[in-house]
């Protein structure tokens, strides 16, 4: 997969997670830091059920749109962490407790962040402003 394709996939994974109301979505650019992947996409969910919904949505949509299947899937519900490994991009779906425990952003703090323009960002900001303004 080319660098442009892996960045496009990273953005798509983030957008799909966002469409299922994941929060605090970031994409870490791992190129130049590790050889096993180009991007780590990390997001937070309220519970394991929401995590399962995101994993299912991503699997279905990426397969339908790009004919890609994850090379690996790990869902440790009790650990609050699910992973979809597309080799060049790895999606990590955490509950807030698990995200605090594993601290991937801190572990990879030297990784540049991919600027994401997510559709729900504007909606959430508008709704927050309407509710709290």
């Amino acid at each position: 997969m080319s660098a442009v394709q892996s960045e496009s996939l990273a953005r798509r994974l983030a957008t799909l997670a966002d469409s299922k109301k994941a929060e605090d979505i970031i994409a870490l650019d791992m190129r130049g830091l590790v050889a096993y992947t180009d991007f780590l996409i990390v997001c937070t969910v309220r519970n394991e059920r929401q995590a399962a919904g995101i994993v299912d949505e991503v699997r279905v949509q990426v397969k339908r749109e790009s004919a890609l299947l994850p090379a690996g899937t790990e869902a440790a519900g009790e650990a609050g962490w699910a992973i979809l490994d597309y080799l060049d991009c790895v999606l990590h779906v955490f509950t807030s407790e698990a995200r605090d425990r594993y601290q991937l952003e801190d572990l990879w703090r030297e990784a540049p962040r991919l600027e994401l323009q997510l559709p729900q960002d504007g909606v959430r900001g508008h709704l927050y402003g309407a509710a709290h303004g």
Side-chain angles (χ1 to χ4, degrees):
M1 186 176 287
S2 75
V4 170
Q5 290 170 317
S6 64
E7 184 175 322
S8 177
L9 178 57
R11 291 180 186 285
R12 185 65 183 135
L13 296 177
T15 299
L16 288 167
D18 185 60
S19 76
K20 290 296 193 178
K21 300 193 176 26
E23 298 177 350
D24 300 323
I25 303 167
I26 63 163
L28 301 174
D29 187 341
M30 304 302 289
R31 297 173 292 189
L33 296 173
V34 299
Y36 60 85
T37 194
D38 288 347
F39 293 95
L40 296 180
I41 300 86
V42 182
C43 65
T44 303
V45 295
R46 291 180 304 279
N47 53 48
E48 283 82 15
R49 195 173 102 201
Q50 184 185 14
I54 289 171
V55 167
D56 290 346
E57 179 74 3
V58 168
R59 287 177 65 103
V60 167
Q61 294 299 329
V62 172
K63 180 181 178 187
R64 184 175 60 78
E65 296 165 2
S66 306
L68 291 174
L69 292 172
T73 303
E74 190 73 36
E78 66 282 350
W81 188 7
I83 301 169
L84 282 175
D85 184 352
Y86 286 96
L87 301 178
D88 291 328
C89 296
V90 181
L91 174 64
H92 295 268
V93 182
F94 287 109
T95 60
S96 60
E97 299 81 15
R99 191 164 179 175
D100 289 344
R101 185 178 332 121
Y102 293 107
Q103 299 183 3
L104 284 186
E105 295 102 314
D106 193 41
L107 177 66
W108 295 110
R109 66 182 153 272
E110 70 274 16
R113 290 189 183 200
L114 187 62
E115 189 66 36
L116 298 172
Q117 299 295 324
L118 298 172
Q120 293 297 322
D121 285 347
V123 172
R124 287 190 191 114
H126 176 72
L127 293 175
Y128 180 85
H132 297 91

